[in-house]
Amino acid sequence: MKKKLLILLIAIFIGFGANAQTKSETNVLVLIYSQNGGTYKMAKAIAEGIQDYPNTKATIKRVPSINAKEKLNADVEKLPIATIEELANYDGIAFGSPVHFANISADMNYFFSQSIPLWTARTLEGKPATVFMSAGSGAGKEAAILSFWNILASHGMVIVPTGIMGTATLDKTIPQGNTPFGATSLAGSTGIRPSQSELNLAKEQGKALARVASGLKNTENIKVVKTTSVETKIDINKTLKDNNIVLPEAPKPVGNYVPFTISDHKVYINQVALKDGKILNPGKVGATVTDDQAKEATYQTMLNVIAVLKEACGGDLNKVKQCVQLTGYFNTTPEYTQHAGIMNSASNLTALVFGEKGKHARATIGAASLPINSAVEIQAIFEIE
């Protein structure tokens, strides 16, 4: 009898251990743009609802302001700034923005304009998302949420609306910003805003997102297997053709060096913005070279890198296993700070051509000058078979 009881207790403990391993914490991001703090107050209610759901953690961050000199609410100013790449690290995301002319804020829109690498790599596909907003007059709030849904749908995200949740606690004696698409606040209305009803709906919305994110997290391993299976079938040559990408002839060395070296399956390449034997858009960014011209030069430089990489692979880019690192050097004026935006031209092209294999670490560096007056030079490291 004692032996049977001991076996039963061991089985129970093993069961608890297995259950604990499968219930890993669900991480949800609450990402906002907020200037005066109204959207931030809604974000805190969203986060509270998320963390009310078992084994779920909420993190509030903000997108960077387009105008670096813009004065923000003191509490908003203290929030950590998110990067577009880190969206892939969360199990679900709640997006918050003020309503600007029946649309999302320009700052949030600019943040998402950098998401092409995530889109081409299908990084956000299947992740649950929800939208909440703050509107001065309330005009255009539903149109603004739906416009944001278009972006999320393009990424293949699972959209979580509010429906009629929160109606039981709705204060019908004052105007409310609630919608069936997501919680909103009538920031310009009378009384304390957001109202308690608006905060209640935001909290319910956060809890609904956490429930979906937690449920979908259990299918993550299945998704990874499927994604990997599809990715291995991609033919780089077909990708180039489908996207009308024509690789130039690989530039030849003009000194005592080689166009690439290979060590331990790693290919090391350096290239500048050479096109048809001449430097494309030469000069200094921020002075004689515009941002658009610098982006064009960066794109050309990355084409040159891929052309050299093709030679290193014996003519078959399908041998590329991973883009490990890209480092962009830019010939800029001392006060110039938009290096990352220019480098996106190279990162986006890499992600488009190589898909999952194109995900890479990256650095951007300003320089007082570059060889032959090129506006850009790129150092690349690839792993090949």
Side-chain angles (χ1 to χ4, degrees):
M1 181 68 181
K2 290 182 178 179
K3 186 176 180 180
K4 289 183 178 179
L5 181 59
L6 180 60
I7 293 172
L8 178 61
L9 288 173
I10 291 173
I12 291 172
F13 280 121
I14 291 174
F16 277 134
N19 193 44
Q21 289 179 348
T22 56
K23 290 186 177 179
S24 59
E25 187 174 58
T26 302
N27 291 301
V28 179
L29 174 65
V30 183
L31 182 63
I32 66 167
Y33 170 75
S34 180
Q35 183 178 4
N36 299 318
T39 306
Y40 175 54
K41 291 177 183 177
M42 296 286 283
K44 290 195 291 183
I46 291 276
E48 185 180 349
I50 290 169
Q51 298 197 146
D52 274 354
Y53 197 81
N55 205 33
T56 305
K57 176 185 176 183
T59 301
I60 303 178
K61 291 191 175 186
R62 65 181 176 93
V63 301
S65 299
I66 294 177
N67 180 5
K69 297 181 180 179
E70 183 177 49
K71 185 173 178 58
L72 300 177
N73 171 276
D75 291 329
V76 174
E77 183 75 35
K78 296 175 185 176
L79 291 175
I81 297 175
T83 63
I84 195 69
E85 294 83 6
E86 74 177 89
L87 300 191
N89 300 332
Y90 296 93
D91 302 306
I93 308 172
F95 296 98
S97 168
V99 177
H100 286 180
F101 302 105
N103 210 325
I104 61 176
S105 67
D107 306 77
M108 183 67 76
N109 197 42
Y110 177 75
F111 182 80
F112 258 94
S113 72
Q114 305 169 64
S115 67
I116 293 177
L118 300 183
W119 174 68
T120 55
R122 301 168 61 183
T123 305
L124 300 181
E125 189 173 289
K127 287 185 185 291
T130 198
V131 178
F132 61 98
M133 306 198 81
S134 179
S137 65
K141 60 183 183 295
E142 294 184 340
I145 293 177
L146 293 175
S147 72
F148 208 152
W149 280 13
N150 291 334
I151 298 173
L152 305 182
S154 296
H155 278 279
M157 302 188 80
V158 177
I159 298 172
V160 180
T162 49
I164 60 171
M165 64 178 68
T167 53
T169 58
L170 182 66
D171 182 357
K172 298 180 180 179
T173 64
I174 61 173
Q176 304 288 351
N178 302 337
T179 79
F181 308 118
T184 67
S185 172
L186 294 180
S189 190
T190 57
I192 298 174
R193 294 291 168 169
S195 71
Q196 193 56 53
S197 292
E198 292 166 344
L199 293 174
N200 288 342
L201 178 56
K203 185 175 178 180
E204 289 296 321
Q205 185 175 358
K207 191 181 297 184
L209 176 64
R211 183 168 59 248
V212 176
S214 182
L216 290 177
K217 186 177 175 67
N218 294 328
T219 66
E220 185 175 352
N221 291 336
I222 298 173
K223 179 187 171 186
V224 169
V225 170
K226 288 183 177 179
T227 302
T228 303
S229 173
V230 171
E231 196 66 40
T232 56
K233 297 178 182 178
I234 291 178
D235 180 5
I236 302 300
N237 297 314
K238 185 176 185 303
T239 301
L240 293 172
K241 182 178 179 181
D242 290 346
N243 290 279
N244 296 317
I245 299 173
V246 179
L247 296 180
E249 182 179 347
K252 305 301 180 186
V254 292
N256 189 19
Y257 63 92
V258 291
F260 64 87
T261 58
I262 301 176
S263 176
D264 193 24
H265 298 283
K266 300 289 195 307
V267 183
Y268 297 84
I269 304 169
N270 275 64
Q271 286 294 315
V272 293
L274 197 65
K275 183 177 183 181
D276 299 329
K278 297 180 180 179
I279 291 296
L280 178 65
N281 301 333
K284 192 173 289 290
V285 184
T288 58
V289 178
T290 67
D291 282 11
D292 286 341
Q293 288 174 325
K295 290 175 182 178
E296 183 184 16
T298 302
Y299 184 90
Q300 179 63 40
T301 305
M302 196 63 215
L303 282 178
N304 294 341
V305 167
I306 297 173
V308 173
L309 177 63
K310 185 174 181 179
E311 280 194 359
C313 293
D316 185 7
L317 285 171
N318 290 305
K319 291 182 179 180
V320 173
K321 294 178 67 176
Q322 186 69 47
C323 178
V324 179
Q325 167 85 33
L326 294 180
T327 302
Y329 299 87
F330 297 97
N331 181 7
T332 67
T333 55
E335 69 278 2
Y336 191 81
T337 61
Q338 302 305 309
H339 309 75
I342 298 174
M343 189 60 185
N344 285 340
S345 297
S347 292
N348 294 346
L349 176 60
T350 306
L352 178 60
V353 173
F354 297 103
E356 283 286 322
K357 299 175 184 178
K359 290 183 177 180
H360 54 273
R362 195 178 86 171
T364 53
I365 301 170
S369 65
L370 287 176
I372 50 179
N373 205 26
S374 179
V376 58
E377 180 175 352
I378 293 178
Q379 181 183 78
I381 304 173
F382 285 84
E383 182 182 3
I384 62 173
E385 294 175 358

